[in-house]
Amino acid sequence: MPDTAIAASLSLNAQLKQVLRFMPAPVGIVTSFDPDNGQPVGLAMSALMPVCLDPPSMAICVNRSGSAHDAMIRAGRFCINLLHGGQDGHVLPFADPAAREARFTQSDWRQHVHSAHEGVWFIDDAPAAIFCTIRERVTFGTHDLLVGEVDDLITSGSDEILGWANGALCRPAPLI
């Protein structure tokens, strides 16, 4: 039975944050680049989801005050890098501003050469690198919901995808 006294003392935002902490979600490194100087930008996120298959599309939610937001909007494209268990070391540099200098330093980062996504960075051998062109932008609260049409996909064949649940990285697996 929930402790209603504790719940009543928390704001609705704090209560929702507690609930979302336990809600499993995929985790990925979303990358783009600054079109003014070509420098890569990125962030770790679990706010990503498929939208539909016709046209193939994905959605991400990006905080407008985040360091990657403006460059990603100006570039008009992004890549969702889904990770496997051996790539968990990619998360910290993109999740912790204090580790920012370690971003894009691992040897498995590559730049896409396809004309539509030239300059967008992806992780080689990730289970999936999903390249999207921004088609819709919805502003709500502190975030922008970006709907991207998938126009390229690189997969490693791995079906192990890292997730986020209970405030930590996890490996979602079927119950049976």
Side-chain angles (χ1 to χ4, degrees):
M1 185 171 220
D3 187 339
T4 55
I6 292 174
S9 71
L10 296 175
S11 70
L12 183 58
N13 290 357
Q15 290 178 55
L16 181 59
K17 189 173 182 177
Q18 279 187 327
V19 169
L20 294 178
R21 176 183 171 93
F22 296 101
M23 189 170 80
V27 66
I29 305 298
V30 177
T31 57
S32 190
F33 67 96
D34 186 327
D36 295 336
N37 60 24
Q39 292 299 306
V41 298
L43 61 153
M45 72 164 51
S46 60
L48 52 96
M49 62 179 256
V51 175
C52 62
L53 294 175
D54 189 16
S57 50
M58 298 290 292
I60 60 173
C61 288
V62 182
N63 191 319
R64 286 190 308 282
S65 68
S67 63
H69 176 272
D70 291 344
M72 188 177 298
I73 295 299
R74 285 185 282 112
R77 47 192 182 259
F78 60 86
C79 177
I80 300 169
N81 293 275
L82 298 176
L83 309 173
H84 61 65
Q87 294 171 322
D88 60 321
H90 284 78
V91 175
L92 182 64
F94 291 91
D96 182 356
R100 184 179 307 258
E101 294 302 316
R103 292 179 182 182
F104 300 103
T105 60
Q106 294 94 338
S107 63
D108 55 355
W109 281 106
R110 306 284 181 268
Q111 269 188 300
H112 201 295
V113 294
H114 183 272
S115 61
H117 290 283
E118 187 174 350
V120 177
W121 290 76
F122 70 97
I123 301 170
D124 193 31
D125 201 37
I130 307 168
F131 296 88
C132 300
T133 299
I134 298 171
R135 297 292 183 217
E136 297 286 336
R137 176 181 174 188
V138 178
T139 298
F140 190 84
T142 57
H143 285 62
D144 279 346
L145 171 71
L146 305 178
V147 177
E149 186 172 350
V150 177
D151 29 47
D152 201 5
L153 176 66
I154 299 172
T155 64
S156 68
S158 173
D159 60 359
E160 177 193 353
I161 305 281
L162 277 183
W164 185 261
N166 196 15
L169 291 172
C170 65
R171 290 185 178 93
L175 291 175
I176 299 173

